[in-house]
Amino acid sequence: MSGRRVGMALVVAAGLLVGGVARADPAWIAAVERDWFAPRAAAFAETAAALPPALRGLCAAPPERTEDALTRARAAWRSALTDWERLAGVAIGPVLDLRAQRRIDFTPTRPRMIEKAIQSAPAGPAAMELIGTPAKGLPALEWLLWVKPATPDSAACAYAVQLAEEIAREAVAIAAAPFNTRPPADFPSDLINQWVAGLERLRWIGMELPIHVVTTSETGGAPEFPRGRAGAAALAWAAQWDALRALAITGHGSLAAVLRARGQADAAVELADRVARVDAALRDLDVGDPARVRAATGVLTTLRHRVETAIAPLLGVSIGFSDADGD
Amino acid sequence: MKKLLFTLALSAGLGASAVQAAGPDVASVLKHHAELVHANYTDTLAAARTMRAAIDAFLAQPSAESQQAAQRAWRAAREYYGQTEAFRFYGGPIDDEIGPEGRLNAWPMDESYVDYVVGDATAGLINDRAFAITKQSITDRNERDGEENIATGWHAIEFLLWGQDLSATGPGARPWTDFMDGQAANADRRRAYLKVATELLIDDLEYLVKAWRPGSRVNYRARFVEEGQESLRKIFVAMGSLSRGELAGERLEVALNSQDQEDEHSCFSDNTHRDAVTNAQGIENVWLGRYRRADGGLLTGPSPRDLVAASDAALAERTSARIAASVAAASAIQAPFDREIIGGRDAPGRQRIQNTVDSLVQQSKDLVAAANAVGITKLTLVQP
């Protein structure tokens, strides 16, 4: 029996529906943790751990090595960002429990708060607790690496090290935390609703809103996509999509696997087809081509609609509320 | 609010009709809900008109006393408006594509867009004498070129009444002399701006009252009460969206994380703690079909709770208890909110806010279960 079939059998054995409502399903939870969460959390912990030494290297760099050190720090940030998005693209488990998105990925970052934080020269976790999240996390570090690059031996560089260390601490905490602390019966609903919220974060916040702002503004200009300061907008889109895609169709805990296990093979095939269309729409997407970006958001919308109206009911899940609601 | 247009997901997402043992029918719940909405907007409009009278008196004869009277009237009117926010988030009159929500309650506000601030004595539309102050012109400027470019609504009026909040312990302290010719630059324009912004707010509230007025065959209310289960779905969408994404998220948790006054809803007046309570109260009003009128009367009638109770009494009871707990938790948040959010994880104020967030998040889940009990399975909103 192949590994895949083992996983499917586990899902089948768990029994997913009672009277149309998803019930406790330890095998599904275990599969998502093993195949999706654990490797992604570990990857983020590893690349986040590389941030502090890279930043320390920048702060200690002699003038003739500053450029190289900045390049290395930027590369470390891009690696950490990629693994963060591959994990936080669907905020489930510890990412949700620890409110990690708000803690280390508050957007947009607030430069005036960064400047104020630099002046206060915090050192260590307790002092960093008193700094507001708009001045912390990956976006603030992006600011200090690209917009106003911290220079060696500066207060800004010392603060950047503190940011990097906090991100690394958060990554360790995420990887070490128990994956599911909620009632198992809530898992299907949490998973699918957070998946939809993740898709909306990619589609609306990441792609369409910046275009909407420009097209409704009198001043015009180029869309300011998240991570654009680092030239990493497309990188972030791809990583977020990787998180969504994997939970949709890859591995034993994916929606497609669960659908097949429930005898809904046709729905699984259709889901895979919709995912493939998004793959094509996002492939080699260029931030300088807003028309194509907008077209891609349309394909994402179609996928979301399908998951909400067809997949979720098949899995006994009601589409409810998430942090993405409100305005 | 950080204004974006919202549209409903196209699909109604209605499940099979729930089997109800007893209790009201959907039509009676919708009819009473419409009555409640109208009553709440009517009280808000009346309170806003009282505020307008106080502002007119202040502008006619500026003094510390008349300024404080206007401030009190603003706070009093907000008590009613805050409860109406439970009627948002489903593309109704308040926030459909032409709805006035963005004019009424947009936040956070870059105050320098309207008037002077510390460090920039000539900032804002008031100090730009080439800018004609009219309802239309400030409407046109509202949120132009940036979500924080707020030119209208409760918070623009709040800023003009209180000024920047530069105090660690109290609200803004705008001198009343800002409105006196010869004592502050452009006092005439400041008076005009406050008056026009107030009139515009009244117009928008009148529009909402009209949309929900009984007896019309063509207004929103007439359609709402005819749309059965879809309108019931909207009621649940409103309660859940305000509970989680907006109140627990944008208004409380973001501020908790940012520890930044910028994320305080009514930052100039330090009235944010009351915003949280009135929002939570508004949700409870809708759930219970109960609303305390401005005249002290209690409006009661068939409610979503009653419908749910007919299917699952225990669930209805649990949801009622959770919603009441959220109101109590919000009531425990102390003023000023901008100090309550400061500190480490164990700071008492932060814990009070976190308790409210946690209760509201659980409440949103209970509301999903409650909606399921009456046959509603899809409660999401999506951005355009």
Side-chain angles (χ1 to χ4, degrees):
Chain A
M1 186 179 279
S2 71
R4 179 178 172 185
R5 286 174 60 109
V6 169
M8 287 171 62
L10 285 172
V11 171
V12 171
L16 297 171
L17 279 177
V18 174
V21 176
R23 71 173 196 189
D25 181 10
W28 190 1
I29 299 171
V32 173
E33 179 179 12
R34 183 189 62 239
D35 297 345
W36 189 90
F37 173 76
R40 287 161 193 268
F44 177 50
E46 186 175 333
T47 47
L51 278 172
L55 267 296
R56 284 190 213 103
L58 171 62
C59 297
E64 70 276 13
R65 305 293 299 273
T66 299
E67 196 62 36
D68 287 346
L70 179 61
T71 300
R72 279 195 294 276
R74 286 174 168 174
W77 182 92
R78 289 169 68 92
S79 295
L81 174 82
T82 302
D83 286 329
W84 164 248
E85 293 287 23
R86 284 166 50 85
L87 173 66
V90 181
I92 54 175
V95 172
L96 183 62
D97 291 343
L98 299 175
R99 316 305 288 161
Q101 284 177 314
R102 292 210 200 278
R103 288 176 58 78
I104 61 170
D105 196 14
F106 188 103
T107 56
T109 197
R110 295 180 187 165
R112 74 173 164 78
M113 287 186 70
I114 295 174
E115 296 295 342
K116 190 176 168 188
I118 291 169
Q119 298 306 316
S120 71
M128 287 297 284
E129 274 292 316
L130 302 178
I131 304 293
T133 52
K136 299 199 290 189
L138 289 159
L141 201 49
E142 179 187 17
W143 180 268
L144 290 171
L145 287 172
W146 274 273
V147 180
K148 207 170 174 182
T151 53
D153 286 329
S154 67
C157 209
Y159 181 62
V161 170
Q162 293 295 321
L163 294 180
E165 289 178 346
E166 185 170 74
I167 294 166
R169 284 194 297 273
E170 195 77 20
V172 168
I174 291 169
F179 175 63
N180 190 58
T181 58
R182 300 162 189 240
D186 290 352
F187 180 76
S189 178
D190 284 349
L191 177 68
I192 292 177
N193 279 289
Q194 289 302 110
W195 190 94
V196 169
L199 188 145
E200 279 302 286
R201 176 170 167 261
L202 168 61
R203 181 193 74 86
W204 176 246
I205 304 294
M207 303 172 85
E208 195 164 351
L209 178 59
I211 297 173
H212 175 79
V213 168
V214 168
T215 54
T216 56
S217 162
E218 291 192 346
T219 54
E224 293 183 6
F225 296 110
R227 329 299 189 185
R229 289 165 175 145
L235 185 75
W237 295 338
Q240 288 178 60
W241 173 238
D242 179 84
L244 291 156
R245 184 185 194 284
L247 272 177
I249 63 167
T250 306
H252 304 134
S254 69
L255 302 182
V258 177
L259 286 167
R260 284 193 295 269
R262 291 191 184 184
Q264 301 287 348
D266 289 349
V269 168
E270 195 206 340
L271 177 61
D273 177 62
R274 298 283 179 193
V275 165
R277 293 184 201 193
V278 176
D279 285 341
L282 294 180
R283 191 169 297 126
D284 301 324
L285 202 54
D286 181 358
V287 296
D289 187 353
R292 220 189 125 207
V293 174
R294 207 156 218 176
T297 68
V299 182
L300 282 164
T301 298
T302 304
L303 172 61
R304 186 205 66 224
H305 188 247
R306 195 65 192 156
V307 168
E308 287 180 340
T309 58
I311 306 300
L314 287 174
L315 297 176
V317 167
S318 296
I319 297 298
F321 304 104
S322 77
D323 292 346
D325 299 326
D327 58 4
Chain B
M1 58 145 254
K2 293 149 186 156
K3 173 67 177 171
L4 299 171
L5 289 177
F6 279 77
T7 56
L8 284 171
L10 289 177
S11 167
L14 306 177
S17 297
V19 176
Q20 293 171 16
D25 57 20
V26 171
S28 66
V29 171
L30 298 180
K31 187 177 176 189
H32 177 67
H33 179 77
E35 195 62 32
L36 187 154
V37 175
H38 180 255
N40 197 166
Y41 278 132
T42 299
D43 286 347
T44 306
L45 175 60
R49 284 174 172 156
T50 301
M51 178 185 76
R52 177 175 62 183
I55 286 173
D56 284 348
F58 169 52
L59 297 178
Q61 200 158 7
S63 69
E65 290 73 24
S66 59
Q67 182 187 32
Q68 288 162 11
Q71 291 171 341
R72 284 194 299 274
W74 184 93
R75 287 186 195 275
R78 286 288 292 180
E79 289 291 305
Y80 297 102
Y81 185 78
Q83 296 175 68
T84 72
E85 296 208 76
F87 315 142
R88 290 182 54 199
F89 302 112
Y90 57 76
I94 178 66
D95 56 5
D96 63 9
E97 290 193 2
I98 60 167
E101 210 281 337
R103 271 195 308 273
L104 277 168
N105 198 36
W107 73 287
M109 174 184 178
D110 176 359
E111 55 267 54
S112 68
Y113 190 63
V114 169
D115 200 2
Y116 77 87
V117 292
V118 169
D120 191 348
T122 61
L125 298 171
I126 285 174
N127 294 301
D128 176 6
R129 296 199 74 89
F131 175 73
I133 300 169
T134 67
K135 288 180 191 174
Q136 188 60 53
S137 69
I138 65 173
T139 295
D140 291 345
R141 288 300 186 104
N142 193 47
E143 295 188 327
R144 181 186 289 187
D145 295 334
E147 292 178 1
E148 298 187 1
N149 291 339
I150 309 304
T152 66
W154 291 107
H155 300 297
I157 296 168
E158 179 195 7
F159 172 53
L160 290 171
L161 289 175
W162 273 273
Q164 279 183 288
D165 180 6
L166 304 172
S167 166
T169 56
R174 181 188 288 278
W176 60 269
T177 50
D178 274 5
F179 295 86
M180 291 284 286
D181 292 329
Q183 297 198 38
N186 295 314
D188 58 330
R189 290 176 56 80
R190 197 166 289 109
R191 291 196 301 272
Y193 203 108
L194 178 54
K195 184 168 183 58
V196 167
T198 304
E199 293 290 352
L200 181 60
L201 181 128
I202 300 279
D203 289 352
D204 284 333
L205 292 173
E206 287 174 341
Y207 166 84
L208 294 169
V209 170
K210 194 173 175 184
W212 287 96
R213 182 172 291 155
S216 169
R217 284 184 293 180
V218 296
N219 68 359
Y220 181 84
R221 175 178 176 151
R223 295 195 301 279
F224 181 86
V225 298
E226 289 297 320
E227 287 179 358
Q229 192 84 342
E230 170 58 13
S231 290
L232 184 64
R233 191 184 79 88
K234 290 176 177 175
I235 292 173
F236 276 99
V237 166
M239 288 191 287
S241 296
L242 179 58
S243 296
R244 184 161 182 179
E246 186 66 20
L247 182 53
E250 291 291 333
R251 297 186 180 188
L252 295 178
E253 194 172 35
V254 167
L256 202 56
N257 280 285
S258 74
Q259 304 189 41
D260 188 6
Q261 190 190 63
E262 180 174 326
D263 297 305
E264 184 185 8
H265 191 174
S266 294
C267 63
F268 310 116
S269 61
D270 276 348
N271 200 51
T272 305
H273 62 301
R274 290 303 306 168
D275 293 329
V277 175
T278 56
N279 284 176
Q281 181 66 58
I283 296 165
E284 186 172 51
N285 294 346
V286 172
W287 170 249
L288 297 177
R290 190 178 71 192
Y291 170 64
R292 177 71 66 186
R293 298 291 312 254
D295 63 8
L298 189 63
L299 183 67
T300 60
S303 66
R305 190 213 72 87
D306 297 339
L307 275 179
V308 173
S311 292
D312 188 336
L315 174 60
E317 185 64 27
R318 188 169 74 242
T319 306
S320 296
R322 174 55 59 190
I323 290 173
S326 296
V327 175
S331 300
I333 297 173
Q334 297 178 9
F337 185 82
D338 53 10
R339 304 313 301 169
E340 196 84 338
I341 59 178
I342 301 298
R345 289 187 186 193
D346 297 333
R350 291 175 63 80
Q351 289 184 335
R352 285 189 284 271
I353 297 171
Q354 188 63 56
N355 288 342
T356 310
V357 169
D358 293 344
S359 185
L360 288 164
V361 169
Q362 184 56 50
Q363 169 177 313
S364 72
K365 294 180 178 180
D366 292 343
L367 285 167
V368 172
N372 290 172
V374 293
I376 298 167
T377 59
K378 185 167 178 292
L379 291 159
T380 50
L381 282 175
V382 296
Q383 274 81 12

